[in-house]
Amino acid sequence: QAPAPAAAAKPKRQSYEQRAEVAKNAVSKQLLNLMAKKKTNLAIAADVASTKQLLALADQVGPHICVFKTHVDILDTWNAEVQGELQSLAEKHDFLIFEDRKFADIGSTVVAQYSGGLYRIADWAHITNAHLVPGPGIIQGLKQVGLEKGRGLLLLAEMSSKGHLATGSYTQAVAAAAEEHQDFVAGFISQTPSSWQPQSSPGLIHMTPGVQLAKGGDNLGQQYNTPQSVIGGAGSDVIIVGRGIYGASDPRETAQQYQEAGWSAYLASVSA
Amino acid sequence: QAPAPAAAAKPKRQSYEQRAEVAKNAVSKQLLNLMAKKKTNLAIAADVASTKQLLALADQVGPHICVFKTHVDILDTWNAEVQGELQSLAEKHDFLIFEDRKFADIGSTVVAQYSGGLYRIADWAHITNAHLVPGPGIIQGLKQVGLEKGRGLLLLAEMSSKGHLATGSYTQAVAAAAEEHQDFVAGFISQTPSSWQPQSSPGLIHMTPGVQLAKGGDNLGQQYNTPQSVIGGAGSDVIIVGRGIYGASDPRETAQQYQEAGWSAYLASVSA
């Protein structure tokens, strides 16, 4: 007797390794392979003002993360030596550096901002990000600087803060622009990619900020999600955790907890 | 015999002085008075990478401008001494400094970016600007730093670059947020405020970038307008001119030409 037909199964997600094979951006490919090898989809948002603390944090949590996310423009110190130390830690622990600059200007301006100034972001950040609000010229401008350096760009498709305007046709325009520029666009900052129609290409990575093990918010409009809701429910790929880790009494141990929570959620979603 | 009724006259715009009286933000009030006294609605976009050139330009064009717009993060040098020199030039020539940072992050992050890092923007820039895409938390965050320092914020309501996404309901949300936060919001970066329904409050200032004496564009999506089309036609208040002035063989003389063109357009619009 034939078995009864199963209920319509939730489609199985492709593994990070499978997606690395089809990724068109160098950083996207590298990151998907790194995540699979290191068994982590955890990014830390290192929102600290002390450069000393930043470097100590990178060394502590380095073994547990795939991405170290910086706001270089809030640090008390930045120079070639600090840059070199951060790059050495990235080598030592095998993680990528993501400068969360949120570029948001016209093409000719972002060329200068990405390559120049005191921070010279393109020289050390494997990944940066941008808002599409100025139009596709911003991708072209950043690509002009970053492509030859092997960099990758994330586009802000959806945000986590209250009353944000990255919704509906805005998000659709971002998704379409990413598809068109997959040589340089590595993926998205997003919230619920599983609900996108059409689904984004498998070589594009989704990262979701505002993640904590417990749900909640702050008084400036930020709202939090959990690793399970982000990876399992919303279909994202990378959880970005800030205060939940750097504010913990033991950041290393806490990072390990988030690594395990994020990885379990991933394994469940690819075997669903 | 009574005169025949006149054709529906275009409503006369209020003068800068009249609007200064009702402005609720300190910088907005100061700028409107400064423009009236100095007879200029010209802002220069000082998009140069050389700090030496930046300071020389500020001294050359200072007598003809109301606002000196910077991208501090493209400069080859920045320190307390440079900051002091720029502030002295602003005093000497009576203009305001506008750091075109285009903040675009959540509240807690922009607090740190606006006040800290190597640039400490809130310490020297009378005006900065922000995208509303993260939601109103960005205004609250920036206000937390800037209000007590007497600073003002411009919101990006419309952009000049090809394919930009600041349109329709996005622009309406920006206009509404500005009305709600007039203690800190000084106005907008906009393109066609005369077409807004409802019109923005008279204390809010509109600035329009991408202005040249001749129409045209660049190969990264930027499109240009003229002083007459911006002030007269589109109902903006301040023309922002970049390459048209700093790229001219005589920036001072060219600034004077733009000052006269912008001021004539303003005078015509208030007497219409």
Side-chain angles (χ1 to χ4, degrees):
Chain A
Q1 191 185 343
K10 197 175 164 191
K12 192 175 157 177
R13 285 172 76 187
Q14 287 185 55
S15 70
Y16 295 144
E17 294 95 323
Q18 288 170 317
R19 293 167 57 193
E21 285 173 25
V22 296
K24 292 174 184 159
N25 170 256
V27 171
S28 174
K29 188 180 284 287
Q30 184 183 358
L31 179 55
L32 286 162
N33 280 321
L34 186 167
M35 289 161 70
K37 178 179 150 206
K38 206 171 162 182
K39 298 193 193 311
T40 179
N41 51 27
L42 171 63
I44 182 161
D47 296 336
V48 296
S50 154
T51 297
K52 198 175 158 188
Q53 197 184 343
L54 181 96
L55 295 172
L57 184 66
D59 203 20
Q60 280 180 299
V61 305
H64 303 289
I65 62 174
C66 58
V67 165
F68 189 78
K69 185 173 84 64
T70 56
H71 281 299
V72 68
D73 59 349
I74 70 172
L75 293 172
D76 54 17
T77 312
W78 185 262
N79 51 44
E81 192 188 335
V82 172
Q83 178 190 316
E85 287 182 45
L86 183 59
Q87 288 176 302
S88 296
L89 289 167
E91 287 281 327
K92 174 182 171 187
H93 295 298
D94 198 15
F95 61 73
L96 300 185
I97 307 170
F98 166 20
E99 167 54 25
D100 188 2
R101 172 58 177 76
K102 292 185 174 68
F103 286 104
D105 215 313
I106 60 172
S108 60
T109 300
V110 298
V111 166
Q113 291 176 318
Y114 187 29
S115 61
L118 300 185
Y119 296 127
R120 306 188 67 85
I121 293 167
D123 283 356
W124 51 269
H126 304 92
I127 303 168
T128 192
N129 59 355
H131 286 289
L132 192 65
V133 62
I138 192 170
I139 303 176
Q140 291 155 11
L142 293 168
K143 189 197 288 197
Q144 195 171 297
V145 175
L147 192 64
E148 67 183 21
K149 292 177 187 278
R151 304 310 187 197
L153 177 69
L154 300 178
L155 293 177
L156 286 124
E158 298 170 311
M159 295 191 77
S160 56
S161 42
K162 271 186 204 162
H164 73 85
L165 303 178
T167 60
S169 61
Y170 185 105
T171 301
Q172 286 167 11
V174 173
E179 298 291 335
E180 268 180 48
H181 295 274
Q182 288 191 58
D183 54 344
F184 186 58
V185 176
F188 305 94
I189 300 293
S190 58
Q191 290 289 314
T192 56
S194 61
S195 71
W196 290 14
Q197 287 299 341
Q199 295 284 294
S200 58
S201 291
L204 295 169
I205 299 171
H206 290 268
M207 300 194 189
T208 303
V211 177
Q212 288 206 337
L213 286 171
K215 291 217 171 206
D218 74 5
N219 60 1
L220 287 172
Q222 176 70 314
Q223 301 167 92
Y224 294 112
N225 295 308
T226 66
Q228 174 52 38
S229 72
V230 166
I231 303 292
S236 188
D237 301 309
V238 174
I239 54 171
I240 305 178
V241 182
R243 294 170 233 193
I245 292 178
Y246 69 73
S249 56
D250 187 336
R252 195 208 57 75
E253 187 184 304
T254 309
Q256 189 173 357
Q257 288 168 10
Y258 275 97
Q259 177 188 5
E260 287 164 6
W263 195 252
S264 299
Y266 161 70
L267 289 180
S269 76
V270 290
S271 63
Chain B
Q1 191 186 342
K10 199 175 164 192
K12 192 175 157 178
R13 286 172 76 187
Q14 288 185 55
S15 69
Y16 295 144
E17 294 96 322
Q18 289 170 315
R19 293 168 57 192
E21 285 173 26
V22 297
K24 292 173 184 160
N25 170 256
V27 171
S28 174
K29 188 181 285 288
Q30 183 183 358
L31 179 54
L32 286 161
N33 279 322
L34 187 165
M35 289 159 70
K37 179 178 149 206
K38 206 170 160 181
K39 298 194 193 310
T40 178
N41 50 25
L42 171 63
I44 183 161
D47 297 337
V48 296
S50 156
T51 297
K52 197 175 159 187
Q53 197 185 342
L54 180 96
L55 295 171
L57 184 66
D59 203 20
Q60 279 180 298
V61 304
H64 303 289
I65 62 175
C66 58
V67 165
F68 188 79
K69 186 171 84 63
T70 56
H71 281 300
V72 68
D73 59 348
I74 71 173
L75 292 171
D76 54 16
T77 311
W78 185 262
N79 51 43
E81 191 187 336
V82 173
Q83 177 189 317
E85 286 181 46
L86 183 58
Q87 288 176 301
S88 297
L89 289 166
E91 288 282 327
K92 173 181 172 186
H93 295 298
D94 197 16
F95 61 73
L96 300 185
I97 307 169
F98 166 21
E99 166 54 25
D100 187 3
R101 173 58 176 76
K102 293 186 174 66
F103 286 104
D105 215 313
I106 60 172
S108 59
T109 301
V110 298
V111 166
Q113 292 176 317
Y114 187 28
S115 62
L118 300 184
Y119 296 127
R120 308 187 68 83
I121 294 167
D123 284 355
W124 52 269
H126 304 93
I127 303 169
T128 190
N129 59 355
H131 285 290
L132 193 65
V133 63
I138 192 170
I139 303 176
Q140 290 155 13
L142 292 168
K143 189 197 288 197
Q144 195 171 296
V145 174
L147 192 63
E148 66 182 23
K149 291 177 188 278
R151 304 311 187 196
L153 178 69
L154 301 178
L155 293 177
L156 284 125
E158 298 170 311
M159 295 191 76
S160 56
S161 41
K162 271 188 205 161
H164 72 85
L165 304 178
T167 58
S169 61
Y170 185 104
T171 301
Q172 286 167 12
V174 173
E179 297 291 336
E180 270 181 44
H181 295 274
Q182 288 190 57
D183 54 345
F184 187 57
V185 176
F188 305 94
I189 299 294
S190 57
Q191 290 288 315
T192 56
S194 61
S195 70
W196 291 14
Q197 288 300 341
Q199 294 285 292
S200 58
S201 291
L204 296 169
I205 297 171
H206 291 268
M207 300 195 190
T208 302
V211 177
Q212 288 205 340
L213 286 172
K215 290 216 171 208
D218 74 5
N219 60 0
L220 286 170
Q222 176 70 315
Q223 301 167 92
Y224 294 111
N225 295 308
T226 66
Q228 173 53 36
S229 72
V230 166
I231 304 292
S236 188
D237 301 310
V238 174
I239 53 172
I240 305 179
V241 182
R243 294 170 234 192
I245 292 178
Y246 69 74
S249 56
D250 186 338
R252 194 209 57 74
E253 187 184 304
T254 310
Q256 189 174 357
Q257 289 168 9
Y258 275 97
Q259 176 188 6
E260 286 164 6
W263 195 252
S264 299
Y266 161 70
L267 289 180
S269 75
V270 290
S271 64

